[in-house]
Amino acid sequence: MGALQDRVAIISGAGTGLGRAASISFASAGADVVLLGRRKAKLEETALAVKERTGKEALILQTDVSDEAQVQEAIAAAIRHFNRIDVIVNNAAVFEPGTVLELTSNEWQNQIAINLTGPFLLTKAVLPAMRKAKYGRIINITSGLSWNGAGGYAAYSAAKAGLESLTRTLADEEHEHGILVNLYNPGTLRTEMHATGKDPAIVTPDLIRLASLPIGGPTGTIVSYG
């Protein structure tokens, strides 16, 4: 049996990159996977890859994670389909350049909405089901830019710093309910957002370990690849 046998895992940003790699790896480890993303065609490509590699049928839910109504409907649909949610990987992100002086208010708000508000909305939506089950594993994808910043990436860096603080807060609030909340920094990956870096599949074993932590396992921590 795989490390995630009979678990249900939601993965945001599942259409490409780390989200796609995680979806395949989680299904290979025995999980039923729910794919969230804005581009249905990309989600369908991921679902096909999951089916070809594992024989499992992934649930596709086209969702803008920054839209609260869409998030709530997606989580409700996932619960109707599988009757539970055990794991969520908050991976959806936009990585767009812009200095503080250059960024428009709308550009700033868009990156905060997807990179920080999105994980907040998804987590808020899954918490009632996780609390009821007295079990949950939440993994938030972060970046080294959260603590050292980077000239030209003001909104992304600020959003990831906020996500790290949110993660530690959630860990404190939810541990008594059997819910573990951790951060994962994969380093530079070769994805649509970045032309060079590691193959995302290389880091997915770390995600599986965080997704399958035992009761009383670490929470509020940050794990980095390598």
Side-chain angles (χ1 to χ4, degrees):
M1 291 177 57
L4 298 176
Q5 194 68 37
D6 300 324
R7 296 298 187 190
V8 176
I10 292 179
I11 300 166
S12 71
T16 61
L18 180 58
R20 178 174 293 179
S23 300
I24 295 167
S25 292
F26 277 38
S28 297
D32 289 309
V33 293
V34 182
L35 313 179
L36 302 188
R38 290 184 291 182
R39 294 177 293 176
K40 189 175 182 181
K42 291 293 185 181
L43 296 177
E44 289 171 343
E45 290 175 9
T46 298
L48 180 60
V50 168
K51 176 72 171 177
E52 289 176 343
R53 294 279 294 275
T54 72
K56 283 182 169 285
E57 297 284 350
L59 177 62
I60 293 173
L61 296 173
Q62 186 176 10
T63 308
D64 179 345
V65 300
S66 68
D67 184 307
E68 186 168 14
Q70 289 188 40
V71 167
Q72 290 178 339
E73 174 52 35
I75 298 307
I79 292 173
R80 285 195 302 269
H81 192 86
F82 289 115
N83 202 36
R84 61 190 294 171
I85 297 170
D86 301 296
V87 179
I88 184 163
V89 180
N90 283 307
N91 167 70
V94 291
F95 182 65
E96 295 174 353
T99 65
V100 171
L101 184 60
E102 294 167 344
L103 284 168
T104 66
S105 177
N106 284 341
E107 289 169 340
W108 168 271
Q109 290 172 5
N110 179 60
Q111 291 200 60
I112 299 298
I114 295 171
N115 297 340
L116 179 55
T117 303
F120 162 74
L121 292 174
L122 280 167
T123 300
K124 183 179 175 65
V126 302
L127 281 178
M130 288 184 171
R131 282 188 171 194
K132 184 178 179 181
K134 290 288 183 182
Y135 182 93
R137 303 293 179 264
I138 299 170
I139 305 167
N140 293 328
I141 304 301
T142 188
S143 161
L145 299 188
S146 65
W147 56 271
N148 64 8
Y153 290 93
Y156 181 85
S157 301
K160 289 301 186 181
L163 182 61
E164 292 195 6
S165 182
L166 176 64
T167 300
R168 290 187 287 270
T169 298
L170 280 164
D172 190 49
E173 292 174 349
E174 300 301 326
H175 69 92
E176 65 185 275
H177 301 288
I179 300 168
L180 306 180
V181 193
N182 291 289
L183 292 149
Y184 183 67
N185 176 8
T188 303
L189 301 178
R190 187 171 65 253
T191 67
E192 279 192 345
M193 294 194 302
H194 205 279
T196 61
K198 301 182 292 289
D199 182 337
I202 290 174
V203 307
T204 58
D206 290 340
L207 296 178
I208 290 173
R209 282 192 288 274
L210 288 172
S212 57
L213 285 171
I215 294 170
T219 190
T221 69
I222 180 167
V223 176
S224 298
Y225 174 76

